[in-house]
Amino acid sequence: MAIKESGRCIATSSDSNYFPALIALLRSLRRTNPHIPVIVFDGGLTRRETKKAGRLATIIPKKPFMDLKGRGKFSYIGMVTLLKFETAGLDFEKVLYLDADMVVLEDLEPLFSFPEGKVGVVREVNALKNMFRLQHRKILAESIGIDWNERGFNAGLLSLRPAEWRDLPERARELVGRFGPDVFSKSKDQQILNLIFYGKTHHFPVRYNFSPFYDNDTVAPAIIHYLTRCKPWHRNYPDGRCYEKFRESISITDFPGIVLVDLYRGLRRSQKNFNPDIS
């Protein structure tokens, strides 16, 4: 399906595993940025899930442009993450890509302001070299002349002009073909995009890609990114304001399974607060 429209849009991608996150993201966007059209690259939603998400966004079925398997502690990152490369094919002047495991709390107008030839991102806490396994760093450093001690960016948020990056999938294939898929098996898209966009990034404040696990509590988040394997629709996700913002953005109608999560979390809290008088 081709989108013929000028202006701006927000894009994301999801499969069934991330459907609870997708619905929470779409609900939060409807609440905070109703004036911006939203596109979902469907990487494996069910018919029922597509129907629900289709009430909040335009759904475009897509398959990843290449096969790149992950391994190690980041193996939970599925192939659907590669669908963000499809933003380069959209017929919009500017596209803001957001990972599905995000909740938006504010107007995102500032994220559409970035210089021509640049890609808007939020810096990571880690250096570029730390995005790659030790055995691969030397191979890359000998072939690619960049500052490996420079901080990279988290690829969960990208703001770009598609017309400037139509060849983005081809660039990714070239890198993987040159160095081999295992070099990029740690975090897949993030490693590739950090190399392709090196020296061409415009940096937004960390509050636009705030991680509850890595960022300072004093930061007032505009977008919460639920990084790590444990997600807020899992019963063991920590209590706190970040969980509450997710829960506010999803209903039982959207995701009936949230009832079981609520019951478990309520039971856990009651057990924690139960202090019998044994005197």
Side-chain angles (χ1 to χ4, degrees), residues 92-145:
F92 286 82
E93 180 187 353
K94 296 177 182 178
V95 176
L96 169 63
Y97 181 89
L98 302 176
D99 272 354
D101 57 345
M102 290 178 157
V103 164
V104 176
L105 308 180
E106 294 183 9
D107 179 77
L108 298 182
E109 201 65 36
L111 299 184
F112 290 96
S113 296
F114 53 96
E116 290 187 8
K118 298 284 187 178
V119 176
V121 298
V122 175
R123 283 187 186 271
E124 268 268 1
V125 296
N126 294 316
L128 277 167
K129 64 182 180 182
N130 294 326
M131 294 185 180
F132 295 87
R133 294 185 175 90
L134 187 60
Q135 67 266 33
H136 299 143
R137 294 177 192 172
K138 186 177 180 181
I139 298 172
L140 290 164
E142 289 174 348
S143 303
I144 301 178

Side-chain angles (χ1 to χ4, degrees), residues 4 12 27 39 55 74 83-84 89 117 145-146 177 190 192 196 198 208 211 232 244 255 265:
K4 296 295 182 183
T12 189
R27 289 288 184 201
I39 291 170
R55 297 177 183 136
F74 295 105
L83 292 180
K84 68 185 60 174
I146 63 178
Q190 181 158 302
I192 295 170
I196 292 175
Y198 180 79
Y208 288 104
S211 165
E244 291 166 4
F255 179 59
R265 294 175 72 89

